[in-house]
Amino acid sequence: PRRGRLNLPGAAADEKDCAPGDRTLSAIKGSALEAVVADVNRLVEEGRLSREELEVRLAASDLKILDAKIFPASWYPIDTYGRLSELLMEADGRGDPEYLVERGRRRAEALQATGIYSQLSANRQQWGDRIVAIMTSIGPAMFKDTQWTSEVDNSGDALRFRIRVKVTPDFPEAGRFAAQGFISYLVIQNGKDRGIRVTSRRVSSTEIEFSAR
């Protein structure tokens, strides 16, 4: 069954707060946004989303971003990312947030293949010990104005960790689910820890927690 929308902070932001590349606001790197933009445009081309729907659901600045070239190293408004991701979840993922988690996994795999983030090319024999270090490094590089800290439990044979992220109140839930998928991919790449489950929760409007156990 089709599920409802995510509760996305900042979904009603005014257009003036969505200027592409405005570094004074919460933002996401183009390397994380480009696939979202490409897939929304694909759904329009396939007739699964209409331009009229986009004009109703999105800010004018979102539409400009959809029509523009996305530069991987540039910053883009995080609320645009949230609205576009929610559209994809509803139109392509039957309203299920797990769709966004899977997109995060696929994005991590794609970024590893490009070599943009060298941390993702670490020796797999040391991967388990490096997962939290990778995320606390890549996280702020992908999401502006976020602070990532971690705790690792080395008392057993399997990897256990917790990552806490300080975010701005407008950080969308879509970003949380995508990051959860990204971390899940790193755990899978670790090989020996395939049984570990990665979860996430919004502790407050300004804090997110990811756990692996």
Side-chain angles (χ1 to χ4, degrees), residues 1 4 11 18 44 68 100 108 123 134 153 165 189 197 199 206 209 211:
C18 305
V44 172
L100 299 176
N123 186 327
I134 289 171
D153 180 0
V165 187
Q189 289 296 97
R197 180 169 177 256
T199 59
T206 57
E209 181 182 276
S211 298

Side-chain angles (χ1 to χ4, degrees), residues 163-165 167 171 176 201-203 207-210:
I163 297 174
R164 291 190 173 91
V165 187
V167 299
F171 191 91
R176 170 168 73 90
R201 67 188 182 104
R202 189 94 180 209
V203 178
E207 184 174 357
I208 294 170
E209 181 182 276
F210 302 96

Side-chain angles (χ1 to χ4, degrees), residues 15 50-60 62-63 66-67 87:
E15 291 178 11
S50 68
R51 191 72 181 183
E52 289 73 21
E53 288 179 277
L54 298 185
E55 291 172 354
V56 169
R57 292 285 301 276
L58 303 177
D62 300 340
L63 299 175
L66 284 175
D67 293 334
L87 276 176

Side-chain angles (χ1 to χ4, degrees), residues 104-119:
R105 293 190 191 101
R106 296 201 307 268
R107 196 60 193 155
E109 182 177 15
L111 288 176
Q112 182 184 27
T114 66
I116 291 177
Y117 296 104
S118 60
Q119 300 97 317

Side-chain angles (χ1 to χ4, degrees), residues 5 12 40 62 80 103 128-129 149 152 163 167 169 177 183-184 194-195 201 206:
R5 295 184 187 178
V40 170
D62 300 340
T80 291
R103 288 186 63 89
D129 296 333
T149 58
V152 181
I163 297 174
V167 299
F177 288 118
I183 296 169
S184 296
R194 292 182 184 275
R201 67 188 182 104
T206 57

Side-chain angles (χ1 to χ4, degrees), residues 23-24 33 38 41 70 72 74 100 122 124 128 136 147 165 182 198-199 202-204:
R23 296 179 60 88
T24 67
L33 177 67
N41 284 328
I70 302 299
S74 295
L100 299 176
R124 290 191 185 184
T136 53
Q147 300 175 19
V165 187
F182 200 105
V198 176
T199 59
R202 189 94 180 209
V203 178
S204 69

Side-chain angles (χ1 to χ4, degrees), residues 108-175:
E109 182 177 15
L111 288 176
Q112 182 184 27
T114 66
I116 291 177
Y117 296 104
S118 60
Q119 300 97 317
L120 293 175
S121 300
N123 186 327
R124 290 191 185 184
Q125 291 183 342
Q126 302 174 350
W127 201 280
D129 296 333
R130 290 177 58 86
I131 289 175
V132 293
I134 289 171
M135 285 310 303
T136 53
S137 173
I138 290 182
M142 295 178 67
F143 297 107
K144 184 174 177 280
D145 294 333
T146 60
Q147 300 175 19
W148 299 61
T149 58
S150 63
E151 300 173 2
V152 181
D153 180 0
N154 292 314
S155 61
D157 293 334
L159 179 67
R160 301 289 186 272
F161 62 81
R162 178 180 294 112
I163 297 174
R164 291 190 173 91
V165 187
K166 293 293 186 182
V167 299
T168 54
D170 64 339
F171 191 91
E173 288 291 83

